[in-house]
Amino acid sequence: MGGETMKISRLYLAFVFFILYMPIFYLIYYSFNSGGTMHHFESFTLDWYKEVFDDTRLLIIVLHTIIIALLSSSLATIIGVFGAIAIYYAKHRWKQTLLTLNNILIVSPDVIIGASFLILFTIAGIQLGFTSVLLSHIAFSIPIVVLMVLPKLQEMSPTLIDAARDLGANEWNVLTRVVLPYVTPGIFAGFFMALTYSLDDFAVTFFVTGNGFSTLSVEIYSRARQGISLSVNALSTLLFLFTLFLVVVYYIMTQRASVKGGKK
């Protein structure tokens, strides 16, 4: 009975992954089509990828996207780590309130968040462009980092901190030599999650971008509206492979960290 249940669960899981990944593989498959359509595959070609790399404007947009993602995820990680530590040490009543406020930003629809930022930047007189996109990405990435770091803090035994203080460590030493090293896996998890969210965000960025500044997701949407072009397929394939590369790097780092932890 248990074996049958396990087999059914595996088949169901395989079916779910097939449904999720089939559109992506369909898109990748036709990015190599010389026919220019997604109906009939004529022959293999790399012309669409060449068109992507020959487009100077598109390469600038890719550079903008990477810079925004790296800056926003780095700053959000720093702020999120200290935010998680503040929530961890807060009193129980305040802790629940802060966690609720943090979770509201995660479950809120992107359209509402994007419209709210647009109104805020308009009132504050912040010009739409690089700054507005960066601030928005930092804001919606911070709650993600908090949720990645906070469980690691909760796993940490209070006796570690007490022992460090008994040995003469001050608050700075406790933070840098005990707390931060312990929650490092959570920090990396939060950073890569924030990086991924920033790279593929569309809804929030669509509201706060302007003055000639654009990101990859907004550009793909704009090109798709103009008509079907397989250069969009090629561009989306490259973005998917880059995201997959980040996931693999994060997986390798976590595996190495777990192996080192096991040896210790």
Side-chain angles (χ1 to χ4, degrees):
M1 185 67 180
E4 287 294 326
T5 304
M6 184 67 69
K7 187 180 294 185
I8 293 173
S9 63
R10 287 178 179 175
L11 288 173
Y12 175 75
L13 186 61
F15 175 74
V16 170
F17 276 107
F18 175 79
I19 295 296
L20 290 173
Y21 281 92
M22 188 59 195
I24 298 176
F25 290 133
Y26 180 81
L27 180 146
I28 293 173
Y29 176 72
Y30 277 101
S31 69
F32 301 103
N33 182 21
S34 63
T37 66
M38 296 179 65
H39 304 297
H40 175 66
F41 192 93
E42 293 186 4
S43 61
F44 180 86
T45 183
L46 293 175
D47 289 345
W48 303 113
Y49 290 89
K50 184 176 181 298
E51 182 178 317
V52 169
F53 287 108
D54 288 341
D55 192 337
T56 304
R57 178 178 176 277
L58 182 61
L59 294 179
I60 293 174
I61 290 173
V62 171
L63 183 62
H64 286 167
T65 305
I66 294 174
I67 291 174
I68 286 289
L70 289 174
L71 278 177
S72 64
S73 55
S74 299
L75 293 173
T77 300
I78 295 171
I79 298 171
V81 167
F82 287 101
I85 293 173
I87 293 174
Y88 177 74
Y89 284 109
K91 295 181 179 180
H92 180 73
R93 183 183 62 182
W94 285 106
K95 182 181 294 186
Q96 294 302 317
T97 303
L98 292 172
L99 274 175
T100 301
L101 293 174
N102 184 78
N103 294 337
I104 287 174
L105 291 174
I106 294 178
V107 300
S108 296
D110 288 345
V111 174
I112 294 177
I113 295 176
S116 301
F117 279 126
L118 176 60
I119 295 171
L120 175 64
F121 294 145
T122 303
I123 294 173
I126 298 175
Q127 192 174 24
L128 298 182
F130 178 85
T131 304
S132 61
V133 174
L134 179 61
L135 292 175
S136 301
H137 283 225
I138 292 172
F140 70 66
S141 296
I142 290 173
I144 300 169
V145 177
V146 170
L147 285 187
M148 294 293 105
V149 175
L150 195 57
K152 295 299 296 181
L153 287 169
Q154 292 170 343
E155 289 177 9
M156 183 176 61
S157 174
T159 55
L160 288 175
I161 298 175
D162 295 336
R165 286 171 177 164
D166 291 341
L167 292 172
N170 55 31
E171 294 299 323
W172 177 252
N173 289 331
V174 169
L175 176 65
T176 57
R177 298 189 180 185
V178 179
V179 177
L180 291 181
Y182 191 90
V183 301
T184 296
I187 295 174
F188 279 114
F191 172 79
F192 281 107
M193 283 289 290
L195 185 66
T196 305
Y197 268 73
S198 178
L199 283 173
D200 61 15
D201 176 74
F202 167 74
V204 176
T205 308
F206 183 77
F207 277 93
V208 298
T209 192
N211 297 313
F213 184 85
S214 184
T215 61
L216 205 51
S217 57
V218 176
E219 179 66 15
I220 291 174
Y221 173 76
S222 301
R223 294 192 176 207
R225 288 189 62 189
Q226 296 171 3
I228 296 175
S229 172
L230 296 189
S231 62
V232 174
N233 291 42
L235 181 59
S236 302
T237 301
L238 294 173
L239 182 61
F240 171 75
L241 293 176
F242 181 70
T243 305
L244 187 64
F245 170 75
L246 292 179
V247 173
V248 171
V249 169
Y250 169 67
Y251 176 77
I252 293 173
M253 292 177 66
T254 53
Q255 288 297 108
R256 288 182 177 177
S258 62
V259 169
K260 289 181 180 179
K263 287 181 179 179
K264 290 181 181 179

